Amino acid sequence: MSDNQRSKSSLDPALRERLLKESQTPWRGLRRLVWFALFASAGLGLFTMAFRASAGDTVDLADFGIQGGALLLFSALLWFDRNRAGSGEG
């Protein structure tokens, strides 16, 4: 038992806190990277459609809706992950 207690006390408190947070939200960094990549893709698609429409090409309104919905969805997912990450601090 004393070896177990000694190993707990030798762990840096900051490192222990970081490891505990990471165990509560595994894969958070990778998940946020995926949300950001999908958000950027939806934004680029919406920009491309808007540019095509401004050039006089016909673009379906449903396509604008899909791209706009994807942009809103992935921005909300990024925002939700950000809020969850910040709620444990401070």
Side-chain angles (χ1 to χ4, degrees), residues 18-32:
R18 194 182 91 204
L19 289 173
L20 282 174
K21 283 183 183 181
E22 188 175 333
S23 71
Q24 292 170 353
T25 57
W27 305 101
R28 187 183 61 175
L30 181 63
R31 187 175 61 235
R32 291 197 59 183

Side-chain angles (χ1 to χ4, degrees), residues 1-78:
M1 280 279 235
S2 64
D3 288 337
N4 191 14
Q5 290 174 348
R6 188 175 55 215
S7 66
K8 283 185 180 180
S9 65
S10 66
L11 188 62
D12 182 30
L15 176 63
R16 184 176 188 278
E17 183 68 26
R18 194 182 91 204
L19 289 173
L20 282 174
K21 283 183 183 181
E22 188 175 333
S23 71
Q24 292 170 353
T25 57
W27 305 101
R28 187 183 61 175
L30 181 63
R31 187 175 61 235
R32 291 197 59 183
L33 181 66
V34 169
W35 295 151
F36 183 76
L38 292 172
F39 170 77
S41 175
L44 185 61
L46 192 63
F47 174 76
T48 303
M49 285 183 181
F51 191 72
R52 281 180 37 206
S54 71
D57 199 7
T58 58
V59 178
D60 287 337
L61 189 58
D63 291 343
F64 271 122
I66 290 170
Q67 286 299 118
L71 189 70
L72 287 175
L73 173 70
F74 295 126
S75 63
L77 288 171
L78 272 171

